[in-house]
Amino acid sequence: TITSMANLASTYRHQGRWTEAEELQLKVWQIRRDKLGEAHPDTIINMGNLGSIYRNQGRWTEAEELQLKVWQIKRDKLGEAHPDTIISMGNLASTYQNQGRWTEAEELQLKVWQISRDKLGEAHPCTITSMGNLASTYQNQGRWTEAEELQLKVWQISREKLGEAHPNTITSMANLAITYRSQGQWTEAEELELKVWQMRRDKLGEVHPDTITSMANLASTYRHQGRWTEAEELQLKVWQISRDKLGEAHPDTIISMGNLAITHQHQGRWAEAEELQSKGWQISRDKLGETHPDTITSMANLASTYWKQNRFSEAEDLEVKVLQMRRHKLGEDHPYTLTSMKNLAIIYQSQGRLSEAEELEEKV
């Protein structure tokens, strides 16, 4: 029956068996659409589920098409402030966010937060989630003050309502720590990250993905304080666990390789840094594509290693590509774009090309 097909598709979805889930969910949606009509509640639920399957596979265009329909139908049928409409807005915003379409994501997330706050109250779990999502969008735009204000609220409410050791509270601590770290507030970041790592390690075990993430974040804070030995110890663990559990070509493994390489770089261990960065860039480029944010970051890091070894031509070649892609993807004024401009200016200076360096520095 259609119901049993839908239930089996849901089971596959929760197991991450996306191909099998998609095949069944597509059938169920088509049958229900033809029998019941596109605006029937059961059809809408199937559309939403299929959109979720596409989103989890990174198929953003297909996910967006369905999620937009779901939101529009729910808004017209149930009203903008109905809980189901709010959830569909949040899902669509998440898809925009994953495509780096920050303005569209922010517009929807702001609505979701305001409606949730007005209807359910500031301390309701749905309101807290929507605050966290909006803060994440601010974070990704480099709007640290706005992100911090929301994240601080989320953490305080979660701690008071759920307790310090609750998974949601721990996540909110971790998110706030990232914002502190991004603003160079190392002491505040370290204090939170150390707590997060210890609680996750005790609750979930050392090899759990969330524990690994918190280890990596704490290592990053150590690295930015020049505490290379402490950073390396954690980063080496993160890389080894990720490689053993997820495989060498997994995005998380690639990121951990890049982080360890940066630490080697700061220790003047250029050969080790270059080996890891070159491997990370090649895997990212092959798996994710040349314009993926992780690939761009790995290119920038490798360019830095070339520059430090006075290999200016190789450094320039990569940094020019990085700047062009970040301009196109993030805009001229994004912090990452400005960092790339500054790095390229330094490379030009190192070659005595002062007018080109000055032209870039004026924009930074």
Side-chain angles (χ1 to χ4, degrees), residues 245-266:
K245 292 283 177 182
L246 305 170
E248 192 163 65
H250 190 279
D252 291 349
T253 309
I254 297 167
I255 290 168
S256 65
M257 284 170 67
N259 290 337
L260 179 59
I262 290 170
T263 296
H264 287 330
Q265 196 181 53
H266 284 285

Short mmCIF file of all heavy atoms in Angstrom, two decimals, residues 245-266:
data_model
loop_
_atom_site.label_atom_id
_atom_site.label_comp_id
_atom_site.label_asym_id
_atom_site.label_seq_id
_atom_site.Cartn_x
_atom_site.Cartn_y
_atom_site.Cartn_z
N LYS A 245 37.75 6.23 10.52
CA LYS A 245 36.30 6.04 10.61
C LYS A 245 35.59 6.37 9.30
O LYS A 245 34.60 5.73 8.93
CB LYS A 245 35.70 6.90 11.74
CG LYS A 245 36.09 6.47 13.14
CD LYS A 245 35.31 5.24 13.55
CE LYS A 245 35.72 4.73 14.92
NZ LYS A 245 34.99 3.50 15.31
N LEU A 246 36.05 7.44 8.64
CA LEU A 246 35.31 7.99 7.50
C LEU A 246 35.98 7.77 6.15
O LEU A 246 35.33 7.89 5.10
CB LEU A 246 35.09 9.50 7.72
CG LEU A 246 34.42 9.91 9.03
CD1 LEU A 246 34.49 11.42 9.22
CD2 LEU A 246 32.98 9.44 9.06
N GLY A 247 37.29 7.50 6.19
CA GLY A 247 38.04 7.35 4.94
C GLY A 247 38.77 8.63 4.58
O GLY A 247 38.39 9.73 5.02
N GLU A 248 39.84 8.50 3.79
CA GLU A 248 40.72 9.64 3.49
C GLU A 248 40.04 10.72 2.66
O GLU A 248 40.39 11.89 2.76
CB GLU A 248 41.98 9.15 2.76
CG GLU A 248 43.05 10.22 2.69
CD GLU A 248 44.42 9.66 2.36
OE1 GLU A 248 44.60 9.14 1.25
OE2 GLU A 248 45.32 9.75 3.22
N ALA A 249 39.04 10.33 1.85
CA ALA A 249 38.42 11.29 0.93
C ALA A 249 37.18 11.97 1.53
O ALA A 249 36.54 12.78 0.86
CB ALA A 249 38.03 10.59 -0.37
N HIS A 250 36.84 11.67 2.79
CA HIS A 250 35.67 12.29 3.41
C HIS A 250 35.95 13.77 3.70
O HIS A 250 37.06 14.13 4.10
CB HIS A 250 35.31 11.56 4.71
CG HIS A 250 33.99 11.95 5.29
ND1 HIS A 250 33.82 13.09 6.05
CD2 HIS A 250 32.77 11.36 5.18
CE1 HIS A 250 32.55 13.17 6.42
NE2 HIS A 250 31.89 12.15 5.91
N PRO A 251 34.96 14.65 3.50
CA PRO A 251 35.17 16.09 3.75
C PRO A 251 35.76 16.41 5.12
O PRO A 251 36.64 17.27 5.23
CB PRO A 251 33.76 16.68 3.60
CG PRO A 251 33.06 15.75 2.67
CD PRO A 251 33.62 14.39 2.96
N ASP A 252 35.29 15.72 6.17
CA ASP A 252 35.80 15.99 7.53
C ASP A 252 37.27 15.60 7.65
O ASP A 252 38.04 16.27 8.36
CB ASP A 252 34.97 15.23 8.57
CG ASP A 252 33.56 15.78 8.69
OD1 ASP A 252 33.30 16.86 8.12
OD2 ASP A 252 32.73 15.12 9.33
N THR A 253 37.66 14.52 6.98
CA THR A 253 39.07 14.09 7.00
C THR A 253 39.93 15.13 6.28
O THR A 253 41.03 15.47 6.74
CB THR A 253 39.24 12.72 6.33
OG1 THR A 253 38.31 11.80 6.91
CG2 THR A 253 40.65 12.18 6.51
N ILE A 254 39.44 15.62 5.17
CA ILE A 254 40.17 16.63 4.38
C ILE A 254 40.39 17.90 5.21
O ILE A 254 41.48 18.47 5.23
CB ILE A 254 39.41 16.97 3.08
CG1 ILE A 254 39.32 15.73 2.18
CG2 ILE A 254 40.09 18.10 2.33
CD1 ILE A 254 38.33 15.87 1.04
N ILE A 255 39.32 18.33 5.90
CA ILE A 255 39.44 19.52 6.75
C ILE A 255 40.47 19.30 7.85
O ILE A 255 41.29 20.19 8.13
CB ILE A 255 38.06 19.89 7.34
CG1 ILE A 255 37.13 20.42 6.25
CG2 ILE A 255 38.21 20.94 8.46
CD1 ILE A 255 35.68 20.53 6.66
N SER A 256 40.44 18.13 8.47
CA SER A 256 41.39 17.84 9.55
C SER A 256 42.83 17.80 9.05
O SER A 256 43.76 18.21 9.74
CB SER A 256 41.02 16.53 10.27
OG SER A 256 41.16 15.43 9.42
N MET A 257 43.02 17.30 7.82
CA MET A 257 44.35 17.31 7.20
C MET A 257 44.83 18.75 7.03
O MET A 257 45.98 19.08 7.32
CB MET A 257 44.30 16.65 5.82
CG MET A 257 44.22 15.16 5.81
SD MET A 257 43.89 14.52 4.14
CE MET A 257 45.42 14.95 3.30
N GLY A 258 43.91 19.60 6.56
CA GLY A 258 44.26 21.00 6.34
C GLY A 258 44.63 21.71 7.62
O GLY A 258 45.59 22.50 7.66
N ASN A 259 43.90 21.42 8.69
CA ASN A 259 44.18 22.06 9.98
C ASN A 259 45.54 21.64 10.54
O ASN A 259 46.30 22.47 11.05
CB ASN A 259 43.07 21.72 10.99
CG ASN A 259 41.75 22.40 10.64
OD1 ASN A 259 41.74 23.42 9.96
ND2 ASN A 259 40.66 21.84 11.10
N LEU A 260 45.84 20.34 10.44
CA LEU A 260 47.14 19.85 10.90
C LEU A 260 48.26 20.46 10.07
O LEU A 260 49.32 20.83 10.60
CB LEU A 260 47.17 18.32 10.82
CG LEU A 260 48.47 17.64 11.26
CD1 LEU A 260 48.82 17.99 12.71
CD2 LEU A 260 48.35 16.12 11.09
N ALA A 261 48.01 20.60 8.77
CA ALA A 261 49.01 21.19 7.88
C ALA A 261 49.33 22.63 8.27
O ALA A 261 50.48 23.05 8.24
CB ALA A 261 48.51 21.14 6.44
N ILE A 262 48.29 23.39 8.66
CA ILE A 262 48.51 24.79 9.07
C ILE A 262 49.39 24.85 10.31
O ILE A 262 50.27 25.71 10.43
CB ILE A 262 47.15 25.50 9.33
CG1 ILE A 262 46.42 25.70 8.01
CG2 ILE A 262 47.37 26.85 10.01
CD1 ILE A 262 44.98 26.16 8.16
N THR A 263 49.18 23.92 11.23
CA THR A 263 50.02 23.87 12.44
C THR A 263 51.46 23.55 12.07
O THR A 263 52.40 24.17 12.57
CB THR A 263 49.45 22.85 13.44
OG1 THR A 263 48.16 23.29 13.87
CG2 THR A 263 50.35 22.70 14.66
N HIS A 264 51.67 22.59 11.18
CA HIS A 264 53.03 22.27 10.70
C HIS A 264 53.64 23.51 10.03
O HIS A 264 54.84 23.78 10.20
CB HIS A 264 52.98 21.12 9.69
CG HIS A 264 52.70 19.78 10.30
ND1 HIS A 264 53.09 19.44 11.58
CD2 HIS A 264 52.08 18.66 9.80
CE1 HIS A 264 52.73 18.20 11.84
NE2 HIS A 264 52.12 17.72 10.78
N GLN A 265 52.81 24.21 9.32
CA GLN A 265 53.26 25.43 8.62
C GLN A 265 53.83 26.44 9.62
O GLN A 265 54.91 26.99 9.42
CB GLN A 265 52.03 26.01 7.91
CG GLN A 265 52.30 27.04 6.84
CD GLN A 265 50.98 27.53 6.24
OE1 GLN A 265 50.09 27.95 6.97
NE2 GLN A 265 50.84 27.47 4.94
N HIS A 266 53.09 26.66 10.70
CA HIS A 266 53.52 27.63 11.71
C HIS A 266 54.75 27.15 12.50
O HIS A 266 55.43 27.95 13.12
CB HIS A 266 52.38 27.94 12.67
CG HIS A 266 51.33 28.85 12.08
ND1 HIS A 266 51.52 30.20 11.92
CD2 HIS A 266 50.10 28.59 11.58
CE1 HIS A 266 50.45 30.74 11.37
NE2 HIS A 266 49.57 29.79 11.16
#
